[in-house]
Amino acid sequence: MDKRTFIKNISLLGVTPGLNHIDQWIKKYDHIIPAELASDETFWEGIRKGYRLKPDYINLENGYYCFLPQETLENYIGHIRNINYQGTYYMRTTQMDDKRAAAEKLAKLAGCSNEELIITRNTTEALNMVIGGLHWQAGDEAIMAEQDYGAMLDMFKQVAARHGVVNKVLSVPNHPANDEEIVNLYADAITAKTKLLMVCHITNITGQILPVRKICDMAHSKGVKVLVDGAHAFAHIAYTIPELHCDFYGTSLHKWLSVPLGAGFLYVNKESIKDVWTLLGSGPDSKEDDIYRLNHTGTHPVHTDMAISKAIDYYLKVGVDRKETRLRYLQHYWTDKVRNIPNVYVNTPVEMQRSCAIANVGIKGIAPGELAVTLHKKYNIYTVAIDSANVHGCRITPNIYTTPKDLDQLVKALTELAKQ
Ligand SMILES: Cc1ncc(COP(=O)(O)O)c(C=O)c1O
């Protein structure tokens, strides 16, 4: 019996891994390439066992917050206990070193220098620090899209009111013909007064992956700096930050890395650090090109930051490529089945490279809010309604514990509702 057949057979006997056996379980599949493993339900069933799942409904709303697998949760609780036990002694002795170590591990995962990344509470804090902290002058222009996240658009509005900055808001098509269509949209908005361009790495309302590197190269050729909203990209798709060529990057770790709530990071490339005013005052000795100048947070729940390390271990153990490939497989598993159903419209591009786990779907004649309620009440599927810009539908976000059976229920629901 070969290794694969053996693994299949023990699973048929109901022998899937417990919490302590997940490492061996994953190891057994080391030799299988991500493309093949993407549809291997036995393997993913083992991964699913590592989560405690609420049985009340099918959760297809992992976009706001991807809760933790049990081993990360237990590690997190251990940190809470330890810090509570050690009290101020911990805060005064090892806290800062531990935080630095967590940031350094993140920087390694992001492929950037330790001198370019700090831990924040979330993307909102990371990006608002840049938007609010640049040295704006009246008449400066900033570029963004109506599909961008509200908290950032609100900060740009504040900057406009406070400093006289002119905001130029463009609209990203749901189904671009090619990368150039998107790049040209941003290029056309740039003038001699443009100081900053903000772009989403993955648009949260549709799951569309934008050609960030091409946008950055285009913007730099015109002397414009780029801020990337990576809230939905980090630990979802595989990349390193330097390869994007951006100046600033912010993300939330409680989304795809499954870190406990309240963690994110800000990346600022070395030469841009001096361009940002701090959000909170930094000490008198801080150097203008030291990113830790931007990291004065006061006392905060440090155990959240301490859980980052284990979440990274878990992510790497599952596998960066394996995770991305599985998530894309799951999205196409259902979108390919509903894309051509009359009255159903998928607001996410069909091309493989333009999306991953997230997709958005609407039904003609049913308002997004009504669709979300019907999916929940009638079909036991939890999603979120999106009804803004050019996107009207429900955002569907599986995670690695999601099964094709869960998605069959979604396909059934959409098929029936589209007939009505
Ligand atoms: C594109 C995008 N940016 C920023 C955020 C804000 O993330 P957080 O609330 O973790 O700061 C979100 C949250 O969903 C998002 O989708």
Side-chain angles (χ1 to χ4, degrees), residues 63-64 122-125 127 149 152 200 202-204 229 231-232 252 254-255 395:
Y64 189 154
N122 47 48
T123 311
T124 303
E125 181 179 81
L127 299 191
Y149 197 71
M152 302 345 135
C200 269
I202 299 184
T203 306
N204 73 303
D229 181 341
H232 271 286
S252 295
H254 41 246
K255 292 187 186 292
R395 182 180 72 181

Side-chain angles (χ1 to χ4, degrees), residues 209-332:
I209 300 173
L210 296 176
V212 167
R213 180 176 173 146
K214 289 184 182 174
I215 293 169
C216 290
D217 289 346
M218 174 278 297
H220 290 160
S221 74
K222 295 171 188 282
V224 175
K225 293 209 173 188
V226 182
L227 166 67
V228 178
D229 181 341
H232 271 286
F234 197 70
H236 176 181
I237 55 174
Y239 63 97
T240 65
I241 292 182
E243 78 195 25
L244 301 175
H245 294 180
C246 61
D247 304 282
F248 312 98
Y249 193 99
T251 192
S252 295
L253 304 172
H254 41 246
K255 292 187 186 292
W256 292 96
L257 192 60
S258 285
V259 165
L261 283 165
F265 73 67
L266 169 67
Y267 159 90
V268 183
N269 67 16
K270 193 72 185 157
E271 62 269 25
S272 302
I273 296 169
K274 61 176 180 347
D275 298 342
V276 187
W277 281 100
T278 60
L279 185 66
L280 304 171
S282 54
D285 301 331
S286 58
K287 298 197 184 75
E288 64 168 16
D289 67 345
D290 180 0
I291 194 158
Y292 277 89
R293 189 172 59 81
L294 305 173
N295 202 212
H296 183 82
T297 55
T299 309
H300 73 108
V302 64
H303 40 263
T304 305
D305 296 4
M306 291 309 91
I308 291 170
S309 176
K310 185 73 176 175
I312 293 176
D313 292 346
Y314 183 82
Y315 173 50
L316 295 177
K317 190 161 65 181
V318 170
V320 173
D321 290 333
R322 281 189 286 208
K323 179 173 178 179
E324 174 175 345
T325 313
R326 170 65 170 180
L327 291 174
R328 187 171 283 111
Y329 169 82
L330 289 174
Q331 189 252 108
H332 280 267

Side-chain angles (χ1 to χ4, degrees), residues 389-402:
N390 51 351
V391 186
H392 310 285
C394 285
R395 182 180 72 181
I396 309 296
T397 315
N399 201 338
I400 51 172
Y401 64 78
T402 305

